[in-house]
Amino acid sequence: MKNKPLPYIDILPEIQEALENNLPIVALESTIISHGMPYPDNVKMAKKVESIIREEGAIPATIAIMDGKIKVGLSSEDLETLAKSDHVVKVSRRDFASVIAKKELGATTVASTMMCAEKAGIKFFVTGGIGGVHRGYEDTMDVSADLEELGKTNVTVICAGAKAILDLPRTMEYLETKGVPVVGYKTEVLPAFYTRESDINLRLSADSVDEIANMVYTKETLELKGGVLVANPIQKSDSLDKNYMNRIIEKALKASNEEGILGKDVTPFLLDYIVKATDGKSLQANLALVYNNAKVGAQLAIAYSKIINK
Ligand code: PSU
Ligand code: MN
């Protein structure tokens, strides 16, 4: 594992030590905190996710950009700042160098968290949902940089599928083109964030984290570039009604078009609209699925570290 100090990167000593000893570490993003959920649920989520990962026996590493550096591992004060501040920049690959150079406060998306995790030597990363090909892509060409990053950066991302704000079939086609394996955890269909199932059959499914860890290990040994996407369905008791959510998503998309929302503002606009339109029901589901992913992600990181420490 890498332990050469990198410029512009500030790794918490606990995490640095874990890296040197091949201990299980789970990276976490910060855009979900700053742009994905309202305050104070966002900071509550960020702390609880870290504690779930610790309870499972792995080490959490929440990532953000602060004071001109990539910070790997945040204090409770840092989490509070990201959750509350209204001048946090949403940082994807495009924004990365300028936010560091200007010493701005930046929250990392799935794409940029993968970049940072890879630089630090962290193999697993837990989130809620990834960005993808947006509905209406034919007109807007709106494809999340998350998909490109999954195509080239060597990190395994654990999510609950993708939100139906996206065009799921096209998102899957894009991932196929980029060579990204999508593994259903105890499911044979792609989960759709608020619901356990979409209409899309997956090529890969695994019933245990050991099976996934072994696949990741094989991929590493073969030196294949790019990420792996693990899709872990929301638990049944937390899931929402598909038709109800689809109606709300349609309204959110309409509002976004009417207000002329563009570029990186689209996803945060839609997420915020949906939370308000469901009276917070979507937020409860979102919290539950992130916790569920944290548990599986930690178990997977542990299974992987057992293989490499054998
Ligand atoms: N989807 C969610 N919640 C989120 C995001 C996506 O359900 O918080 C965030 C993630 O940080 C993701 C980013 O990487 O939005 C994607 O933004 P864009 O579509 O602009 O690439
Ligand atoms: Mn976009």
Side-chain angles (χ1 to χ4, degrees), residues 128-132 159-166 168 171 190-194 229 231:
I130 59 160
C159 69
K163 277 204 172 76
I165 55 172
L166 301 171
L168 297 182
T171 299
L190 179 72
F193 205 81
Y194 301 118
L229 192 63

Side-chain angles (χ1 to χ4, degrees), residues 186 255 257 288:
K186 298 184 180 169
N257 283 334

